[in-house]
Amino acid sequence: MAGVRVLPASPNWYSSRCSDASSDGRLFGFAARHRVCLLDVSAAAPTFYGELIGHTERISGFAFCRCPGQSSLCASSSDDGSVRIWDAEALAPVAEYVLHQNAISALHWSPLVKDLIVSGDEKGVVVCYWHNRSDSQQFFPEPRTIFCLTCSPHHENLVAIGYKDGMVVIIDISRKREVLHRLRGHDDEIHCLAWCPVPGEERLCAWHDELQVVPSEEGKVSNGELTQDTAMKKGCYLASGSKDQTIRIWSCTRGRSVMTLKLPPTKRRGGAIDPAVKERIWLTVHWPPGRSTEIVSSSFGGELLLWDLTQPGKRKWTLLGSSEGQNHSRIVFNLSSVKCQDKELLFSISMDRDVKCWDLSALDCSWTMPSLGGFVYSLAFSPVDTGCLAIGVGDSMIRVWNTLSVNNIYDVKTFWQSIKSKVTALSWHPTKEGCLAFGTDDGKVGIFDTISSSAKNKPPQISSTYHKKTVYTLAWGPPTPPLTSGGEGEQPSVTLYSCAGEGIVFQHNPWKLNGEANDINKVIQDTNSIKHKLPARTEISWKPDGKLLALGNEDGSIEIFQAPNLKLLCTIQQHHKLINAIRWHHEHGSQPELGYLIASGSINATIYVHNLKSVVESTSESPLTITEPFRTLAGHTAKITSLSWSPHHEGRLVSACYDGTAQVWDVMKEEPLCNYRGHQGRLLSVQWSPVDPDSVYTGADDFSVHKWCISKQEHTRPPQGKKSIELEKKRSMQPKVKTKKKKKPIGKSPAKQDLSDATNGDESVKEMLLEENGLSDHEGEKEAQEAEMPDKVSTTVSKDTSSSAYDHPSFSLPKPFVTQKATPVKKDLPKEKPTSYATLKKRKPRSILPFSTFMDHRSKDELHEDCLRLAACLKTKDNNEDVSPDLEDHIHLGLFTDRASLHKMIDVEGKHHLENGHPELFQQLMLWKGDMKGVLQAAAERGELTDQLVAISPMVGYQAWVLTVEAFAKQLCFQEQYVKAATHLLSIHKVYEAVELLKVNNFYREAIVIAKARLRPEDPILKDLYTTWAALLEKDGHYSMAAKCYLGASSPYDAVKVLAKKGDVTSLRTAAELALISGEEELSANLSFRCAQNLLLSRNWVGAQEVLQQHKTLFGQRLVFCLNELLCKRLSERNPCDQKSPVPPCYHSWELNRDVSFFDMVIEVWQNALGMDTTQQATGAWEQLRSIEHPPSTSNAHPKQVLFHISHDLTLAALSSHTATWDEAVKSILGAVTRSYDAGNFTLMQEICSIILPEGCDNLRHKLDSTNSQSMDACRSLEGFVAYGLLYDLWWNPPKDSSVLQKPVLDPVPCPSEQTALEKSYVSSHCSPEETPDQTAAEMDENRCATSEICRCETESDSTTSSLYLEDSQSKLNGCKVLLSEEIAALQNTQRDIAEVQQILADMIHQHQQQRNNLQESTNGSTQESNIQRSSEIESDKLCPDSSQLTCKDEVKEPVTLPELTKQLLQAKQKLAEFPDNLKVFPFPDVLECCLVLLHTGSHCPRQLRQQASDLLRKHGNAGIYEKAGRRFLTS
């Protein structure tokens, strides 16, 4: 790729060997997704050499050949099960083989045998493949997951294998299934194995280990060269790195560990990763050539360590990288070294997506090559910092590439802070250096500062307004309303506009990103008086001079608006598909009129250019419509994703397209000039270099950015297939038809194989390929979203390919789908039917003896010769001589001679079958021969057993049959045919093994069938199966099935619990019935009550009673539910709601006596409907309900829950009244009233008072025992609340007209909320001493004052009726005297003082903590001090509200000291203790608040009452809130 500079795809993660360097030191290759990227590392700086393309899934292993003369050969293994051999220099495939049935996890090319490649898979199978002779051999040393393997550099038959569980095994591949050593010591995954490059096991002074005897015969050999025998005898050291954070050195002669190295806790330096992220350790080791005592290893945070094994003591390591920032910032996966000229270089790949080269002699980093871990969605050159290219990538990071750097051509900074999703849009500020705006896939918009000294770890500013879908485009432009309303200098010169997938464009103020962004559609609608719904926006572009704005829409239209008010000038109706890209021509050319050119691209493949000069100069008031383009650029065959005008030319444009190419156009001539085809995927972004007129940068979904030269491209136009643009349009409208025809392009254009191989077209594995490097960065997510939203950049693969006119197989349907579509079963059956019998008759079965049959069909002369030879042989036999030597060249004659000759003939025929891939025929011959034992053994070892072989294996013997079935079951398990494997195990009576096999693989249903059918009923394994399956089902949310399992396991309690887990009505009802059947009475009652409560929420009282009546223990709750139903019914009758509820209430059809009191009516229903006949029943229910305590209500409690708790209190009151225990009744009624008061529902409190006590409390008081002070206090409190409700009712609703009570009130709706606010302030002062009244109460008083003035004016204006109403009001207000209690006012005032002091203390503590935290965390002390002062000022303002307005100087207090506060608190508490206890037991309305309300009623209030209220206010209203509210009454 001449003249191409590339930022490649990131190396794959979590592979033991997926990178390697060639032995000649020229190339370094690493696996990136499903390709291998090759770098030329022979020079001082790396250059991109090319890619090896052919695999369809993630590559798991890569290795170069180490033999002289073959340094360019390399091998790669993939999750697709194949191993490919390549010529790296020619970038060409050499061979491919598929011998593994499972995913390959490790691969190595033998350093001694030039054509031997060893690979291991996840099931433990090792395959040795000699590619020169296409021979292979399989080993299965351990049934464990292989993590790594490496061939010995000293003995060609030794292979070391590391497993997931920490086991290391050394095998000899020359001896079948020969395990030399099992090395145990590690207790976690083996990440890497490395042989010592120098043979022999000479003891080094620092190697103090368990070994006590060192063989004296071990000696050094000159030049370190040994024969194989000597090497085997002398042995060799092996190093292993494990997840258990240790490196072990093993002796291969002894099979033991000789040294253990523990990773040191090194300090991360210069890391660019969030320290909160817990990283997985990966411990790779590398033994550099020629260094027998030095090992390089990875460490925790990306550091590399050089271990000197001869160093005594604990510290044997040296850190690579002397200066900060040289090390990787995240864990390192692979290390490989090579000698290049006079240097020894070490290459490392890491999770931080950097490839680094190290000089091992200097221990310094020579160069760093950055890479990309996702689609390249956006490219943007800085208009200020020339040559600074920002790259938005799908791995949730932004790269800023200084493309003009001389010392480092890959000078790249990475920005990742606060980004949690793919970066899909970028835009540089037009004038401010280093200001980069970004948008993400999750709708986030932010701004990075890329140049400040602290920018490396400084998080970006994030807009508080998020888009709901992917951000498509960002653009800086002049401010539009409402940001233009401020004066000069009050708003930024440019603002940030973002357009996203939901079709909305937001304007963000860069000065106030935490403020709300504006939807510019509102301005557009207001300015242009548009009433209809605006189209969904998909693209935004400002003209460089900031005068015109172009918006691209989902329907294909483009609208041009004039700044700043966004007046619509014209609409371009050219495209008819979603607009992907709009670009204005630059304005610095010699032809100013070209500045009005606007280029646009859409999902259609055609690019249109329009000239808007005439539109701008037009004087038309109404917007114009343009339907004719200025220029049309046709040639691409898929959707256009990005456009860029050349800043160096006039009228020159480059386009990026889904057809995998970038195209340069001469717009004025409508001519294609140059086509770039170097990417291996769909292009997503393009930028023309602002410095070099011949260079263009492109980004694609192949995870790479390419810089390429226009002059060096051989193609001039996009690749053309048979599909035309018209066909593409047609197919895009018929997606179902097009997918079926996708098989046609396969293999149609071999000339373009390089591109087709590059992309592989295998989007069926897109999910796996793009879950790149262990990062779940599913770039394929966007493809899946295409049907839901107009995604501009990523469309469904099938949609793109079918809607494109591109002919390459790379953009065909997924390969598995192509196969299915090409040979659909239903499609072929009709064709085969008429000819099936004919073809069956004509087709001859394959001969089982093809060789001898062929020999018997030769020429007549040869057959005659066979006759003569046969006769001679038989004659010899008659003379008792062996005939077989005479038939060596005529094996087929063994058919007519003795058994030995026949056996030879059978052997030859069998070998012929095996060579031609017909093992079943070979097995049949062996059966005829009688050598079944050998066949079965060979088939078992090779994993080639079949049902037929197993069926005939009993003829060998019982033991052979059992062994064969066991081997076949194991083979079936590898093939994931677990049910069939279990069936075969049953055939040899291994029931427990069959059940366990099914259980382990989650076939619980089948396992239970077998266990129940074949085992004893009391066998514990059956219960274990049920409970294990139930736990799994419960975890997955299949509660009903889990309950059945628990019942099967005789655990009904667990079944009930799991059924109730869902919590819906039906589940709870079923669970309750099940508990009842199982004898769990208490549990059943609890579940029934929960079910009834759920039914109550849906206002289904009938269903609730049905559930409750099953349990006698819930009789009390039945009474509560009954009263709740009657109360709700009464409330709905008193306050009918116009709005219909979505769920109609389900009431009982009880006969109600409306003439009696509410309690009497309820008791009648209890007696008639629920059967509460005796006083004993009532007492029992009262006792039962009395034991239940509900939490106190708050303003956040659900209204229905509050009403239920009130019903509970009222039920207790009704039962008490029924049994004539009035002392308890009054307490319960008070509890119900105060509960509604505490919940902040003033209206409900009034309604309950009027329903329960329609005539007031006088009648109730007479029934009380006057000697019981507690009940009398409760009654007084209850009278207070009744009067409190009446007081507000008289204030807000003066009785102008008995039929329309609320007429005089201006706005009756806010009244309850006004009361609620006041109630809240009271609750905070009375019930919660830690809180104090806030300004809300004072504000409410002022509002009340204003409203009452209006009410009073209206009342006074009505001269005809005012005197009558005045008398009525005064008589009712006289009943409110109970509220003006001197002792309660004093008590409440003391409680307020305590609460105020406690609040000041809490604020002081909070300030102190905040000050301490700020001082600890701050890096700028002065700023924090000013913040603390400011916060303390704010706090003091809070404590002294409106102090500036108060005449009292005491309100403007100096800061109070802690001892003074403590003294005040102590005095207040002593004062509180002096009050009698009976006053503190029951709550009471706020006396001062009632005084204020009475004074607000004006002339309605009797003079004596008004005087009493004023005196109380004057005496106790020293708190700021009451003093301010009562000032006008006390001063008048």
Side-chain angles (χ1 to χ4, degrees), residues 378-640:
S378 182
L379 296 173
F381 270 108
S382 170
V384 182
D385 188 2
T386 312
C388 199
L389 176 65
I391 306 166
V393 190
D395 58 7
S396 307
M397 292 195 280
I398 300 169
R399 274 74 166 185
V400 177
W401 184 6
N402 181 9
T403 60
L404 300 183
S405 175
V406 178
N407 299 328
N408 180 9
I409 61 170
Y410 292 108
D411 181 5
V412 174
K413 289 182 183 176
T414 302
F415 298 89
W416 50 266
Q417 294 89 344
S418 301
I419 304 177
K420 306 294 183 189
S421 182
K422 294 170 259 196
V423 182
T424 52
L426 294 170
S427 182
W428 291 95
H429 194 285
T431 55
K432 186 179 177 183
E433 186 177 7
C435 181
L436 175 63
F438 68 92
T440 64
D441 185 46
D442 59 4
K444 184 186 291 185
V445 175
I447 299 176
F448 265 110
D449 177 3
T450 64
I451 60 164
S452 69
S453 57
S454 61
K456 188 169 185 181
N457 294 311
K458 184 180 177 184
Q461 301 177 64
I462 302 293
S463 172
S464 61
T465 305
Y466 277 57
H467 285 282
K468 294 178 182 175
K469 292 188 179 180
T470 306
V471 178
Y472 286 161
T473 319
L474 296 171
W476 294 89
T480 56
L483 286 183
T484 53
S485 57
E488 195 65 34
E490 291 182 13
Q491 75 273 334
S493 57
V494 289
T495 56
L496 180 62
Y497 295 83
S498 60
C499 176
E502 72 268 30
I504 293 174
V505 175
F506 282 131
Q507 177 186 205
H508 307 263
N509 184 347
W511 290 359
K512 295 179 182 177
L513 277 180
N514 57 348
E516 189 175 352
N518 310 304
D519 182 354
I520 68 168
N521 275 349
K522 295 174 183 175
V523 183
I524 292 170
Q525 284 180 318
D526 293 344
T527 301
N528 301 283
S529 303
I530 298 173
K531 303 296 182 188
H532 60 79
K533 183 183 175 184
L534 294 175
R537 316 296 187 186
T538 59
E539 176 70 353
I540 179 169
S541 181
W542 278 96
K543 196 170 182 290
D545 61 7
K547 293 180 180 178
L548 298 178
L549 169 67
L551 289 182
N553 300 321
E554 188 180 9
D555 59 9
S557 63
I558 300 171
E559 294 172 322
I560 309 298
F561 299 91
Q562 192 172 38
N565 294 323
L566 302 184
K567 179 190 175 186
L568 180 61
L569 296 182
C570 72
T571 302
I572 301 171
Q573 297 283 3
Q574 204 72 60
H575 302 276
H576 299 290
K577 294 285 181 70
L578 181 147
I579 301 296
N580 276 331
I582 299 175
R583 292 294 179 273
W584 293 87
H585 194 283
H586 59 82
E587 297 181 330
H588 52 259
S590 57
Q591 303 177 51
E593 64 274 8
L594 293 181
Y596 291 99
L597 293 186
I598 183 170
S600 56
S602 71
I603 287 182
N604 285 339
T606 308
I607 301 164
Y608 293 107
V609 181
H610 292 85
N611 189 344
L612 302 181
K613 190 171 188 295
S614 59
V615 174
V616 175
E617 294 173 351
S618 169
T619 56
S620 171
E621 285 297 320
S622 59
L624 306 173
T625 301
I626 298 176
T627 56
E628 291 299 321
F630 175 67
R631 293 288 185 270
T632 301
L633 308 175
H636 280 300
T637 53
K639 74 174 182 177
I640 309 300

Side-chain angles (χ1 to χ4, degrees), residues 942-974:
R942 296 169 65 92
E944 294 174 352
L945 286 169
T946 63
D947 291 297
Q948 185 184 5
L949 283 177
V950 174
I952 59 179
S953 59
M955 66 180 288
V956 183
Y958 177 79
Q959 197 60 37
W961 171 57
V962 170
L963 292 172
T964 304
V965 172
E966 287 178 344
F968 189 45
K970 189 176 181 181
Q971 179 184 313
L972 290 170
C973 288
F974 280 133

Side-chain angles (χ1 to χ4, degrees), residues 748-938:
K748 290 271 181 159
S749 92
K752 307 178 181 81
Q753 192 63 34
D754 56 338
L755 183 59
S756 65
D757 284 346
T759 18
N760 293 305
D762 235 314
E763 297 297 342
S764 63
V765 295
K766 177 71 73 182
E767 291 285 331
M768 245 183 294
L769 295 179
L770 301 178
E771 191 174 329
E772 236 350 271
N773 313 327
L775 184 76
S776 296
D777 183 21
H778 291 287
E779 304 291 353
E781 289 171 9
K782 280 222 182 143
E783 279 81 338
Q785 295 168 4
E786 177 64 15
E788 299 174 10
M789 66 175 186
D791 192 329
K792 311 187 317 168
V793 179
S794 307
T795 320
T796 328
V797 178
S798 59
K799 184 176 285 189
D800 296 331
T801 55
S802 55
S803 64
S804 75
Y806 189 41
D807 192 39
H808 287 266
S810 56
F811 299 100
S812 62
L813 275 178
K815 287 185 181 176
F817 296 163
V818 170
T819 311
Q820 291 169 14
K821 296 289 183 184
T823 57
V825 180
K826 291 183 180 177
K827 211 171 190 179
D828 291 347
L829 279 176
K831 294 181 182 176
E832 289 180 2
K833 243 181 182 175
T835 57
S836 59
Y837 296 111
T839 52
L840 282 173
K841 287 179 184 176
K842 291 178 184 177
R843 184 181 300 160
K844 291 183 179 179
R846 186 180 301 279
S847 173
I848 198 166
L849 301 167
F851 179 71
S852 56
T853 306
F854 167 74
M855 294 295 284
D856 287 337
H857 284 80
R858 292 175 297 160
S859 65
K860 192 180 289 183
D861 294 339
E862 289 174 307
L863 294 177
H864 290 166
E865 189 179 337
D866 283 350
C867 292
L868 296 174
R869 184 174 293 276
L870 179 60
C873 288
L874 291 173
K875 183 71 174 173
T876 311
K877 183 185 177 185
D878 292 339
N879 298 330
N880 294 324
E881 295 178 17
D882 189 7
V883 301
S884 52
D886 298 330
L887 297 177
E888 279 188 10
D889 298 329
H890 297 78
I891 297 298
H892 63 290
L893 295 180
L895 188 65
F896 307 100
T897 56
D898 57 4
R899 180 178 293 177
S901 301
L902 180 68
H903 281 182
K904 287 190 176 182
M905 184 189 87
I906 289 175
D907 291 340
V908 171
E909 294 281 11
K911 188 178 180 183
H912 172 81
H913 286 312
L914 286 176
E915 288 173 353
N916 286 279
H918 301 296
E920 70 282 355
L921 296 178
F922 165 75
Q923 292 158 4
Q924 197 170 339
L925 278 175
M926 293 301 107
L927 172 63
W928 293 359
K929 182 182 175 183
D931 185 19
M932 272 310 297
K933 190 172 183 180
V935 170
L936 292 173
Q937 190 175 350

Side-chain angles (χ1 to χ4, degrees), residues 159-364:
V159 179
I161 306 165
Y163 291 93
K164 184 178 181 179
D165 61 358
M167 168 86 78
V168 178
V169 169
I170 300 175
I171 64 171
D172 184 345
I173 61 173
S174 64
R175 287 180 278 181
K176 190 70 173 174
R177 303 185 69 175
E178 181 65 26
V179 175
L180 296 183
H181 296 293
R182 285 185 173 84
L183 308 176
R184 294 178 174 88
H186 290 295
D187 53 14
D188 213 332
E189 301 163 2
I190 306 297
H191 289 159
C192 191
L193 293 169
W195 292 92
C196 179
V198 178
E201 294 186 359
E202 291 78 14
R203 185 179 177 87
L204 301 176
C205 60
W207 295 28
H208 302 295
D209 56 275
E210 316 88 69
L211 299 179
Q212 297 174 357
V213 182
V214 181
S216 58
E217 68 270 10
E218 293 184 3
K220 292 189 178 179
V221 179
S222 58
N223 303 324
E225 294 178 3
L226 303 175
T227 62
Q228 285 186 9
D229 291 340
T230 315
M232 191 70 177
K233 184 178 178 183
K234 290 186 69 61
C236 178
Y237 288 120
L238 175 71
S240 61
S242 168
K243 189 182 177 182
D244 64 11
Q245 304 176 14
T246 62
I247 301 167
R248 286 182 180 265
I249 313 296
W250 307 87
S251 163
C252 293
T253 54
R254 302 168 181 82
R256 297 184 65 180
S257 169
V258 296
M259 179 179 283
T260 302
L261 306 172
K262 179 76 175 173
L263 277 190
T266 53
K267 211 172 187 180
R268 180 198 303 269
R269 300 182 307 168
I273 190 63
D274 187 351
V277 176
K278 187 179 180 183
E279 291 181 340
R280 174 181 177 176
I281 179 68
W282 189 273
L283 182 46
T284 186
V285 292
H286 177 71
W287 215 320
R291 301 188 182 200
S292 61
T293 62
E294 289 183 342
I295 289 180
V296 183
S297 82
S298 60
S299 187
F300 290 103
E303 299 92 346
L304 296 181
L305 307 176
L306 179 67
W307 299 84
D308 184 351
L309 305 180
T310 60
Q311 187 78 21
K314 288 188 176 180
R315 178 164 177 136
K316 296 181 170 62
W317 53 271
T318 308
L319 199 63
L320 270 70
S322 56
S323 60
E324 186 169 335
Q326 282 201 355
N327 272 297
H328 289 286
S329 59
R330 300 183 77 176
I331 52 177
V332 175
F333 292 113
N334 293 160
L335 297 170
S336 54
S337 68
V338 69
K339 285 195 174 180
C340 187
Q341 298 164 356
D342 57 339
K343 288 184 178 181
E344 189 171 357
L345 302 179
L346 177 76
F347 300 99
S348 59
I349 63 171
S350 162
M351 189 185 268
D352 64 7
R353 307 190 189 283
D354 281 344
V355 178
K356 288 183 181 285
C357 174
W358 304 80
D359 185 345
L360 271 183
S361 56
L363 300 184
D364 272 341

Side-chain angles (χ1 to χ4, degrees), residues 156 188 215 257 530 676 828 919 1048 1124 1160 1271 1321 1356 1492 1521:
E156 65 180 34
D188 213 332
S257 169
I530 298 173
Y676 177 68
D828 291 347
N1124 180 266
D1160 291 339
S1271 60
S1321 72
E1356 290 168 359
L1492 283 169
I1521 184 172

Side-chain angles (χ1 to χ4, degrees), residues 1 36-39 47-52 91:
M1 298 174 70
V36 176
C37 177
L38 294 171
L39 304 179
T47 55
F48 182 75
Y49 185 79
E51 288 181 314
L52 304 177
L91 300 176

